[in-house]
Short mmCIF file of all heavy atoms in Angstrom, two decimals:
data_model
loop_
_atom_site.label_atom_id
_atom_site.label_comp_id
_atom_site.label_asym_id
_atom_site.label_seq_id
_atom_site.Cartn_x
_atom_site.Cartn_y
_atom_site.Cartn_z
N ARG A 8 49.60 -46.95 8.17
CA ARG A 8 48.38 -46.94 7.37
C ARG A 8 47.42 -45.83 7.85
O ARG A 8 46.68 -45.25 7.07
CB ARG A 8 47.70 -48.30 7.43
CG ARG A 8 46.52 -48.45 6.52
CD ARG A 8 45.97 -49.86 6.54
NE ARG A 8 46.88 -50.85 6.02
CZ ARG A 8 47.09 -51.09 4.71
NH1 ARG A 8 46.45 -50.40 3.82
NH2 ARG A 8 47.92 -52.03 4.34
N LYS A 9 47.45 -45.52 9.14
CA LYS A 9 46.59 -44.47 9.68
C LYS A 9 46.93 -43.12 9.06
O LYS A 9 46.05 -42.30 8.80
CB LYS A 9 46.69 -44.42 11.20
CG LYS A 9 46.12 -45.65 11.86
CD LYS A 9 46.36 -45.67 13.34
CE LYS A 9 45.88 -46.99 13.92
NZ LYS A 9 46.33 -47.21 15.28
N ALA A 10 48.20 -42.87 8.82
CA ALA A 10 48.61 -41.63 8.16
C ALA A 10 48.12 -41.64 6.70
O ALA A 10 47.57 -40.64 6.22
CB ALA A 10 50.13 -41.47 8.20
N ALA A 11 48.33 -42.75 6.03
CA ALA A 11 47.89 -42.84 4.63
C ALA A 11 46.38 -42.67 4.51
O ALA A 11 45.89 -41.97 3.62
CB ALA A 11 48.34 -44.18 4.04
N ASP A 12 45.64 -43.30 5.41
CA ASP A 12 44.18 -43.20 5.38
C ASP A 12 43.72 -41.75 5.56
O ASP A 12 42.81 -41.29 4.88
CB ASP A 12 43.53 -44.08 6.45
CG ASP A 12 43.69 -45.57 6.16
OD1 ASP A 12 44.05 -45.94 5.03
OD2 ASP A 12 43.45 -46.36 7.10
N PHE A 13 44.36 -41.02 6.48
CA PHE A 13 43.97 -39.63 6.71
C PHE A 13 44.33 -38.76 5.51
O PHE A 13 43.53 -37.91 5.10
CB PHE A 13 44.62 -39.08 7.99
CG PHE A 13 44.15 -37.69 8.30
CD1 PHE A 13 42.89 -37.47 8.82
CD2 PHE A 13 44.97 -36.59 8.08
CE1 PHE A 13 42.44 -36.19 9.10
CE2 PHE A 13 44.53 -35.30 8.36
CZ PHE A 13 43.26 -35.11 8.87
N LEU A 14 45.51 -38.95 4.95
CA LEU A 14 45.90 -38.17 3.77
C LEU A 14 44.94 -38.45 2.61
O LEU A 14 44.56 -37.54 1.87
CB LEU A 14 47.34 -38.46 3.38
CG LEU A 14 48.39 -38.01 4.39
CD1 LEU A 14 49.77 -38.51 3.99
CD2 LEU A 14 48.38 -36.49 4.56
N GLU A 15 44.55 -39.70 2.46
CA GLU A 15 43.57 -40.07 1.44
C GLU A 15 42.24 -39.34 1.68
O GLU A 15 41.65 -38.77 0.76
CB GLU A 15 43.36 -41.59 1.46
CG GLU A 15 42.42 -42.11 0.40
CD GLU A 15 43.06 -42.16 -0.99
OE1 GLU A 15 44.30 -42.08 -1.12
OE2 GLU A 15 42.30 -42.29 -1.96
N GLN A 16 41.80 -39.34 2.93
CA GLN A 16 40.55 -38.66 3.30
C GLN A 16 40.63 -37.16 2.99
O GLN A 16 39.65 -36.56 2.55
CB GLN A 16 40.27 -38.87 4.79
CG GLN A 16 39.05 -38.16 5.33
CD GLN A 16 38.92 -38.30 6.84
OE1 GLN A 16 39.54 -39.15 7.46
NE2 GLN A 16 38.12 -37.45 7.43
N MET A 17 41.79 -36.57 3.21
CA MET A 17 41.98 -35.13 2.98
C MET A 17 42.33 -34.81 1.52
O MET A 17 42.54 -33.66 1.17
CB MET A 17 43.09 -34.59 3.89
CG MET A 17 42.73 -34.57 5.36
SD MET A 17 41.49 -33.33 5.77
CE MET A 17 40.10 -34.39 6.11
N GLU A 18 42.42 -35.85 0.68
CA GLU A 18 42.74 -35.70 -0.75
C GLU A 18 44.12 -35.10 -0.98
O GLU A 18 44.32 -34.27 -1.86
CB GLU A 18 41.65 -34.88 -1.45
CG GLU A 18 40.27 -35.50 -1.34
CD GLU A 18 39.17 -34.62 -1.93
OE1 GLU A 18 39.45 -33.73 -2.76
OE2 GLU A 18 37.99 -34.85 -1.55
N VAL A 19 45.09 -35.52 -0.16
CA VAL A 19 46.47 -35.06 -0.28
C VAL A 19 47.27 -36.14 -0.98
O VAL A 19 47.35 -37.27 -0.50
CB VAL A 19 47.07 -34.78 1.12
CG1 VAL A 19 48.55 -34.45 1.01
CG2 VAL A 19 46.31 -33.67 1.82
N PRO A 20 47.88 -35.82 -2.13
CA PRO A 20 48.71 -36.82 -2.82
C PRO A 20 49.90 -37.21 -1.95
O PRO A 20 50.55 -36.36 -1.35
CB PRO A 20 49.19 -36.09 -4.08
CG PRO A 20 48.27 -34.93 -4.24
CD PRO A 20 47.80 -34.56 -2.86
N PHE A 21 50.15 -38.52 -1.87
CA PHE A 21 51.26 -38.99 -1.04
C PHE A 21 51.91 -40.20 -1.68
O PHE A 21 51.34 -40.86 -2.55
CB PHE A 21 50.79 -39.33 0.39
CG PHE A 21 49.82 -40.48 0.48
CD1 PHE A 21 50.29 -41.77 0.73
CD2 PHE A 21 48.46 -40.28 0.30
CE1 PHE A 21 49.40 -42.83 0.82
CE2 PHE A 21 47.57 -41.34 0.38
CZ PHE A 21 48.04 -42.62 0.64
N GLU A 22 53.12 -40.46 -1.24
CA GLU A 22 53.86 -41.65 -1.65
C GLU A 22 54.27 -42.40 -0.40
O GLU A 22 54.29 -41.81 0.68
CB GLU A 22 55.09 -41.26 -2.48
CG GLU A 22 56.09 -40.40 -1.72
CD GLU A 22 57.24 -39.89 -2.58
OE1 GLU A 22 57.13 -39.87 -3.81
OE2 GLU A 22 58.27 -39.50 -1.98
N MET A 23 54.56 -43.67 -0.56
CA MET A 23 55.01 -44.49 0.57
C MET A 23 56.25 -45.26 0.14
O MET A 23 56.28 -45.82 -0.96
CB MET A 23 53.92 -45.47 1.00
CG MET A 23 52.66 -44.80 1.50
SD MET A 23 51.33 -45.98 1.83
CE MET A 23 51.78 -46.51 3.46
N HIS A 24 57.25 -45.28 1.02
CA HIS A 24 58.49 -46.00 0.73
C HIS A 24 58.98 -46.72 1.98
O HIS A 24 58.77 -46.24 3.10
CB HIS A 24 59.60 -45.04 0.29
CG HIS A 24 59.32 -44.32 -0.99
ND1 HIS A 24 59.46 -44.90 -2.22
CD2 HIS A 24 58.88 -43.06 -1.20
CE1 HIS A 24 59.14 -44.02 -3.15
NE2 HIS A 24 58.78 -42.91 -2.56
N ALA A 25 59.66 -47.81 1.79
CA ALA A 25 60.40 -48.48 2.86
C ALA A 25 61.88 -48.21 2.60
O ALA A 25 62.42 -48.59 1.56
CB ALA A 25 60.12 -49.98 2.86
N LEU A 26 62.50 -47.48 3.51
CA LEU A 26 63.92 -47.15 3.42
C LEU A 26 64.52 -47.30 4.81
O LEU A 26 63.86 -47.01 5.80
CB LEU A 26 64.12 -45.71 2.95
CG LEU A 26 63.62 -45.36 1.55
CD1 LEU A 26 63.67 -43.85 1.34
CD2 LEU A 26 64.45 -46.08 0.51
N SER A 27 65.75 -47.71 4.88
CA SER A 27 66.41 -47.90 6.17
C SER A 27 67.67 -47.05 6.25
O SER A 27 68.53 -47.12 5.37
CB SER A 27 66.77 -49.38 6.35
OG SER A 27 67.61 -49.54 7.47
N ALA A 28 67.76 -46.26 7.32
CA ALA A 28 68.95 -45.44 7.53
C ALA A 28 70.20 -46.30 7.68
O ALA A 28 71.30 -45.89 7.33
CB ALA A 28 68.76 -44.56 8.76
N HIS A 29 70.02 -47.53 8.18
CA HIS A 29 71.16 -48.40 8.43
C HIS A 29 71.42 -49.38 7.30
O HIS A 29 72.57 -49.71 7.00
CB HIS A 29 70.95 -49.19 9.74
CG HIS A 29 70.79 -48.29 10.92
ND1 HIS A 29 69.59 -48.11 11.55
CD2 HIS A 29 71.68 -47.50 11.56
CE1 HIS A 29 69.74 -47.25 12.55
NE2 HIS A 29 70.99 -46.87 12.57
N ARG A 30 70.36 -49.88 6.67
CA ARG A 30 70.52 -50.92 5.64
C ARG A 30 70.59 -50.36 4.22
O ARG A 30 71.15 -51.01 3.34
CB ARG A 30 69.38 -51.92 5.75
CG ARG A 30 69.39 -52.69 7.05
CD ARG A 30 68.26 -53.71 7.11
NE ARG A 30 68.19 -54.28 8.45
CZ ARG A 30 67.24 -54.00 9.33
NH1 ARG A 30 66.26 -53.17 9.03
NH2 ARG A 30 67.24 -54.56 10.52
N THR A 31 69.98 -49.19 4.00
CA THR A 31 70.00 -48.59 2.65
C THR A 31 70.36 -47.11 2.75
O THR A 31 69.60 -46.25 2.28
CB THR A 31 68.64 -48.77 1.94
OG1 THR A 31 67.62 -48.10 2.70
CG2 THR A 31 68.29 -50.22 1.73
N PRO A 32 71.50 -46.77 3.34
CA PRO A 32 71.82 -45.35 3.53
C PRO A 32 71.93 -44.55 2.24
O PRO A 32 71.53 -43.38 2.20
CB PRO A 32 73.15 -45.38 4.29
CG PRO A 32 73.72 -46.73 4.04
CD PRO A 32 72.55 -47.64 3.84
N ALA A 33 72.44 -45.15 1.18
CA ALA A 33 72.54 -44.42 -0.09
C ALA A 33 71.16 -44.10 -0.65
O ALA A 33 70.93 -43.00 -1.18
CB ALA A 33 73.36 -45.23 -1.10
N ALA A 34 70.23 -45.04 -0.52
CA ALA A 34 68.86 -44.80 -0.98
C ALA A 34 68.18 -43.71 -0.16
O ALA A 34 67.44 -42.88 -0.69
CB ALA A 34 68.05 -46.09 -0.94
N VAL A 35 68.43 -43.69 1.15
CA VAL A 35 67.87 -42.65 2.01
C VAL A 35 68.43 -41.30 1.60
O VAL A 35 67.69 -40.31 1.48
CB VAL A 35 68.16 -42.94 3.51
CG1 VAL A 35 67.81 -41.75 4.38
CG2 VAL A 35 67.43 -44.19 3.95
N GLU A 36 69.72 -41.23 1.35
CA GLU A 36 70.33 -39.97 0.94
C GLU A 36 69.75 -39.49 -0.38
O GLU A 36 69.40 -38.31 -0.53
CB GLU A 36 71.85 -40.12 0.82
CG GLU A 36 72.53 -38.82 0.44
CD GLU A 36 74.05 -38.92 0.42
OE1 GLU A 36 74.59 -40.02 0.63
OE2 GLU A 36 74.68 -37.88 0.20
N SER A 37 69.61 -40.38 -1.34
CA SER A 37 69.04 -40.02 -2.64
C SER A 37 67.59 -39.55 -2.49
O SER A 37 67.19 -38.53 -3.06
CB SER A 37 69.11 -41.22 -3.58
OG SER A 37 68.50 -40.92 -4.80
N PHE A 38 66.81 -40.29 -1.70
CA PHE A 38 65.42 -39.91 -1.48
C PHE A 38 65.34 -38.52 -0.85
O PHE A 38 64.63 -37.64 -1.33
CB PHE A 38 64.72 -40.92 -0.56
CG PHE A 38 63.50 -40.34 0.09
CD1 PHE A 38 62.31 -40.25 -0.62
CD2 PHE A 38 63.56 -39.83 1.38
CE1 PHE A 38 61.20 -39.65 -0.04
CE2 PHE A 38 62.46 -39.24 1.96
CZ PHE A 38 61.27 -39.15 1.25
N ALA A 39 66.04 -38.32 0.26
CA ALA A 39 65.92 -37.07 1.03
C ALA A 39 66.43 -35.88 0.24
O ALA A 39 65.80 -34.82 0.23
CB ALA A 39 66.66 -37.20 2.35
N SER A 40 67.55 -36.03 -0.43
CA SER A 40 68.12 -34.89 -1.15
C SER A 40 67.30 -34.53 -2.39
O SER A 40 67.34 -33.38 -2.84
CB SER A 40 69.58 -35.15 -1.52
OG SER A 40 69.67 -36.27 -2.38
N GLY A 41 66.53 -35.46 -2.91
CA GLY A 41 65.71 -35.18 -4.10
C GLY A 41 64.24 -34.95 -3.83
O GLY A 41 63.48 -34.64 -4.74
N ALA A 42 63.81 -35.05 -2.58
CA ALA A 42 62.38 -34.96 -2.25
C ALA A 42 61.77 -33.61 -2.66
O ALA A 42 60.70 -33.57 -3.28
CB ALA A 42 62.16 -35.21 -0.76
N LYS A 43 62.42 -32.53 -2.34
CA LYS A 43 61.89 -31.20 -2.66
C LYS A 43 61.72 -31.03 -4.16
O LYS A 43 60.69 -30.52 -4.63
CB LYS A 43 62.79 -30.11 -2.08
CG LYS A 43 62.23 -28.72 -2.25
CD LYS A 43 63.10 -27.69 -1.58
CE LYS A 43 62.52 -26.31 -1.80
NZ LYS A 43 63.38 -25.27 -1.24
N ASP A 44 62.70 -31.46 -4.94
CA ASP A 44 62.62 -31.35 -6.40
C ASP A 44 61.51 -32.20 -6.98
O ASP A 44 61.01 -31.90 -8.07
CB ASP A 44 63.96 -31.74 -7.04
CG ASP A 44 65.06 -30.73 -6.75
OD1 ASP A 44 64.75 -29.57 -6.41
OD2 ASP A 44 66.25 -31.11 -6.86
N ARG A 45 61.09 -33.26 -6.27
CA ARG A 45 59.98 -34.11 -6.73
C ARG A 45 58.62 -33.54 -6.32
O ARG A 45 57.59 -34.13 -6.60
CB ARG A 45 60.12 -35.52 -6.17
CG ARG A 45 61.26 -36.32 -6.75
CD ARG A 45 61.19 -37.82 -6.42
NE ARG A 45 60.59 -38.15 -5.14
CZ ARG A 45 61.24 -38.19 -3.97
NH1 ARG A 45 62.53 -37.89 -3.94
NH2 ARG A 45 60.62 -38.52 -2.86
N GLY A 46 58.61 -32.40 -5.61
CA GLY A 46 57.35 -31.78 -5.20
C GLY A 46 56.88 -32.14 -3.81
O GLY A 46 55.82 -31.70 -3.38
N VAL A 47 57.66 -32.93 -3.10
CA VAL A 47 57.30 -33.27 -1.72
C VAL A 47 57.44 -32.01 -0.87
O VAL A 47 58.38 -31.25 -1.02
CB VAL A 47 58.20 -34.41 -1.17
CG1 VAL A 47 57.94 -34.66 0.30
CG2 VAL A 47 57.98 -35.69 -1.99
#
């Protein structure tokens, strides 16, 4: 939350996700490989 609060203060658009390298590896792969194309 401290990171989110600071980004909010700096007016930086951000997203938050819960992903697990061990429990949701396919979701992590999809997130990471598509992050740049989403503007992250």
Side-chain angles (χ1 to χ4, degrees):
R8 187 175 295 280
K9 293 173 185 168
D12 291 346
F13 184 74
L14 294 173
E15 183 76 15
Q16 177 186 343
M17 292 289 109
E18 301 175 20
V19 174
F21 65 94
E22 62 186 19
M23 298 174 83
H24 297 282
L26 297 170
S27 170
H29 300 108
R30 295 182 189 107
T31 61
V35 170
E36 182 176 4
S37 177
F38 159 79
S40 62
K43 186 176 179 184
D44 291 340
R45 290 193 328 275
V47 173

